[in-house]
Amino acid sequence: MAPEVVGFGEDDVRALAGTRSFERGLGYLDAVSGLEVGEGSVTAVVHGTDVYEVQLTLGGDGLSGWCDCPYGQEGNFCKHCVAVGLTVLRRAKTIPHQRAAARARTSGLEAWLSALSRDELLALVREQVAEDRELRRRLELRAAAARSDLGTVRERIMVLIDPRPFARYGYVEYADAAGYGRQVAEAAAALRALTTDGQAAQAVGLAEEAIRVLGKDYGDIDDSDGVVGQAAAAVAEAHLEACRVARPDPKRLAEWLAGTVLDDSNDVTDLDPLDYADVLGSSGLARMRQLANEAFRSGPSGWAARYLMERLVKAEGEVDALVALHAQDLDPSGATHLLIAEELESAGRADEALAWAERGLRDCATETYIDGRLVDYVCVRYAKAGRAADAVAVRRDRFRHERSLAAYRQLRSAARAADCWEAERAAALATLEEDARREQGGRYGGPVLIDALLDDGDLDAAWREAAGRADDRQWERLADLSREMCPAEALGVYLRLVERSKEPTGDRAYEHLARLLLGARECHRALGTEDPFTAYLAGLRTELKRRRKLMTILDRYGL
């Protein structure tokens, strides 16, 4: 019933969040408060490491979520969004009533405002302006723009982008960055309003001044969450919008753009000169190409000069010139070889593209790290050309250098396609066995050999190799895969890991402990010894009873 009433279901939440965030969100169901249901959205507060605001929206494209936690601000459907979504589903029966109440409140507010006289509305606005400084600043800007008071507009925008009121000892700390970012966003809105009000030329000049100030001060801001950078990007967008309306002198605009891009100290805005191509026209682009050539000749290794040259050459469609430019600075990982190959392939020159990719493999053959996308590029094209054995040779060579589970999987896939996995597997496992003897562990501490055997489903061999070698992660994986066929052995692993997991605290640790106990319970059920598990669990709960959050999580899992 819930999906029909609410507009989404648990499967939708899981699909948006992914398994990891979904499972972590389960631990925050008791941390949701202040749930407010609107006609097409839900807002709430989630108490985690900090207090986070969450908004879920149900529109024509389905469910979406926003959260002001760092992960959520990157555009992800985070664990806090999961917690709010599941809370809504739990309260599905009350949603229609709450939506109706929200519609009634909105309708009532509209009716009340419409009934107010001009003097009453003015009094209301003055009251709000007196209480809300941000609202007052926004209205002051709009008023100044409406009466063409550009001096006041400039003054207010400069005040908004001035970081000094937020700086402690000359530095804007993480806790103050969000407040400063909101002010910069206000400045961007004011610049857009200028353009809308017929003063685009003035908006161009003010935006350029604002971008210069932001670039100068950005290095003294802890913008870990990117809120200031996002607001500065809005200022840059306002500049572009104003340029498209005002159509400033193309050569002067080209000089400003080139100067801003080439200024290494200005990394707050990612200006792409080609976004301005329609405004620059042929004369502006020619002037920018001239400036880019001069900068590149004087400092060819500079990132900014190279970026500007690459963008301009690419826009002109000169593939050979772009290849030559890239070839002057080949990255030892093979990333530049891949870039060249992709440019050539896009131009319909597939044979040359593959030759460059193969050259990348040769040039980087002795490197410990090589860009995996380059290896994939070559192997995919070998497979399409019926060169399965060549693809295996490439994967084999990379496996010898990387010795990772990912490289093992890629070798396995290529060798199966070439019908030679049995021989390749024997050689690969021998290599990993030698590494294990030399105590060369995997990424998480245990030998890659055990990861490979588990990935192959060779549990008998994995059990033989695990003794004295496997890390806790590998033991848990082995127990998970073996509990149906070998419940007694798996139970021993789970109980050992439970003992090691009793000390750590926090939601993540408690969720992990609960999963281990679920595995142990499954083993006892398979062995027909559920009573000893019940007694063991009761003792564990008594031992850890002061950890109330753990008790809540165990209750949720039926433990």
Side-chain angles (χ1 to χ4, degrees):
M1 175 181 177
E4 290 76 12
V5 173
V6 177
F8 64 89
E10 185 174 309
D11 288 344
D12 300 308
V13 176
R14 187 189 297 273
L16 280 172
T19 301
R20 180 178 176 81
S21 288
F22 183 85
E23 290 180 354
R24 296 183 71 182
L26 294 173
Y28 285 83
L29 292 176
D30 296 331
V32 178
S33 64
L35 190 73
E36 290 189 15
V37 179
E39 290 191 58
S41 65
V42 177
T43 59
V45 169
V46 181
H47 298 264
T49 308
D50 203 340
V51 179
Y52 299 112
E53 295 184 8
V54 174
Q55 178 173 341
L56 302 184
T57 303
L58 189 65
D61 296 329
L63 177 66
S64 62
W66 177 88
C67 177
D68 62 356
C69 74
Y71 189 60
Q73 288 187 4
E74 294 175 0
N76 299 298
F77 198 91
C78 66
K79 59 188 178 184
H80 308 113
C81 292
V82 170
V84 173
L86 295 180
T87 299
V88 170
L89 290 172
R90 283 183 169 188
R91 305 179 187 179
K93 291 182 179 179
T94 69
I95 298 301
H97 172 73
Q98 289 178 280
R99 282 180 174 162
R103 286 193 293 270
R105 289 194 300 271
T106 300
S107 176
L109 177 60
E110 288 286 341
W112 177 67
L113 288 173
S114 299
L116 293 177
S117 67
R118 179 179 181 277
D119 289 342
E120 288 172 327
L121 282 171
L122 283 173
L124 177 62
V125 171
R126 290 188 183 110
E127 177 187 332
Q128 296 302 311
V129 165
E131 295 177 356
D132 189 332
R133 187 178 66 172
E134 291 187 3
L135 175 61
R136 185 184 75 247
R137 283 198 301 242
R138 288 198 297 271
L139 292 180
E140 286 174 346
L141 270 171
R142 293 303 299 269
R147 63 177 185 269
S148 299
D149 184 357
L150 295 179
T152 299
V153 172
R154 180 189 177 280
E155 177 189 353
R156 297 308 303 157
I157 287 178
M158 291 302 109
V159 167
L160 288 172
I161 64 173
D162 183 359
R164 287 177 297 180
F166 296 87
R168 304 177 188 182
Y169 310 107
Y171 186 79
V172 179
E173 297 182 353
Y174 172 78
D176 302 309
Y180 176 59
R182 284 194 292 271
Q183 286 199 179
V184 176
E186 285 184 44
L191 291 166
R192 287 195 296 271
L194 272 180
T195 299
T196 302
D197 291 339
Q199 301 181 71
Q202 291 80 0
V204 170
L206 286 174
E208 290 176 2
E209 187 174 1
I211 290 170
R212 178 186 61 79
V213 172
L214 288 167
K216 176 175 66 68
D217 294 328
Y218 191 63
D220 295 323
I221 301 171
D222 182 353
D223 191 28
S224 299
D225 289 347
V227 291
V228 179
Q230 186 175 2
V235 173
E237 290 170 6
H239 177 261
L240 176 58
E241 291 172 11
C243 285
R244 285 175 172 162
V245 174
R247 314 302 292 189
D249 178 69
K251 292 184 179 179
R252 190 212 66 81
L253 178 60
E255 290 166 1
W256 179 82
L257 284 168
T260 303
V261 172
L262 294 171
D263 183 359
D264 291 333
S265 65
N266 189 348
D267 60 353
V268 66
T269 54
D270 296 324
L271 288 173
D272 186 345
L274 298 189
D275 289 340
Y276 293 79
D278 59 329
V279 182
L280 289 166
S282 57
S283 61
L285 288 171
R287 176 58 176 154
M288 187 174 292
R289 178 64 183 269
Q290 179 186 3
L291 295 169
N293 280 325
E294 292 172 0
F296 188 71
R297 282 196 298 269
S298 61
S301 60
W303 177 88
R306 177 171 292 278
Y307 165 77
L308 186 56
M309 278 292 294
E310 288 176 2
R311 296 298 293 146
L312 292 170
V313 171
K314 186 175 178 65
E316 293 165 2
E318 299 178 11
V319 177
D320 290 321
L322 187 59
V323 169
L325 184 62
H326 288 316
Q328 292 181 40
D329 186 22
L330 295 172
D331 191 280
S333 71
T336 320
H337 296 81
L338 175 62
L339 190 60
I340 292 172
E342 289 173 337
E343 294 291 350
L344 287 167
E345 184 164 343
S346 296
R349 296 157 64 175
D351 291 343
E352 294 174 73
L354 180 57
W356 261 101
E358 291 171 326
R359 173 182 165 180
L361 293 183
R362 292 193 300 273
D363 291 350
C364 306
T366 59
E367 298 291 332
T368 301
Y369 172 77
I370 184 171
D371 195 314
R373 297 172 303 161
L374 176 64
V375 181
D376 293 342
Y377 181 95
V378 172
C379 289
V380 166
R381 278 143 191 83
Y382 280 170
K384 288 181 178 178
R387 299 170 59 182
D390 291 333
V392 172
V394 171
R395 295 298 188 189
R396 184 193 307 126
D397 181 66
R398 293 320 307 163
F399 173 74
R400 288 171 180 167
H401 282 85
E402 293 182 28
R403 306 283 231 281
S404 66
L405 177 59
Y408 181 84
R409 286 171 169 167
Q410 289 163 341
L411 173 60
R412 180 177 63 199
S413 177
R416 281 177 173 168
D419 197 24
C420 61
W421 174 228
E422 185 175 350
E424 291 293 338
R425 179 175 188 262
L429 291 178
T431 299
L432 294 178
E433 173 63 37
E434 183 180 351
D435 287 347
R437 284 199 302 270
R438 293 176 180 172
E439 299 182 345
Q440 294 182 8
R443 179 178 177 184
Y444 300 97
V448 176
L449 173 65
I450 297 174
D451 288 323
L453 293 170
L454 289 170
D455 206 62
D456 283 341
D458 192 347
L459 301 185
D460 290 339
W463 276 107
R464 289 195 301 271
E465 298 294 342
R469 289 179 170 181
D471 65 3
D472 286 353
R473 174 188 59 85
Q474 293 171 328
W475 277 118
E476 183 177 349
R477 176 67 174 152
L478 183 53
D480 288 344
L481 293 173
S482 304
R483 63 190 182 205
E484 291 187 8
M485 300 300 295
C486 307
E489 291 82 354
L491 177 60
V493 173
Y494 284 128
L495 295 180
R496 185 170 70 251
L497 294 178
V498 166
E499 291 303 309
R500 295 183 186 179
S501 301
K502 290 194 297 186
E503 184 175 346
T505 59
D507 289 357
R508 186 174 182 178
Y510 295 156
E511 291 283 343
H512 181 232
L513 180 58
R515 288 195 296 273
L516 292 173
L517 289 168
L518 289 173
R521 184 173 67 183
E522 289 301 311
C523 293
H524 274 290
R525 285 176 175 172
L527 293 167
T529 55
E530 294 182 68
D531 289 344
F533 176 74
T534 301
Y536 172 79
L537 181 60
L540 184 68
R541 290 184 66 109
T542 300
E543 179 185 352
L544 304 177
K545 64 182 180 182
R546 296 187 183 278
R547 302 184 191 180
R548 287 179 288 180
K549 190 58 178 292
L550 172 60
M551 296 299 107
T552 299
I553 290 174
L554 294 182
D555 288 341
R556 190 173 72 244
Y557 283 105
L559 291 166

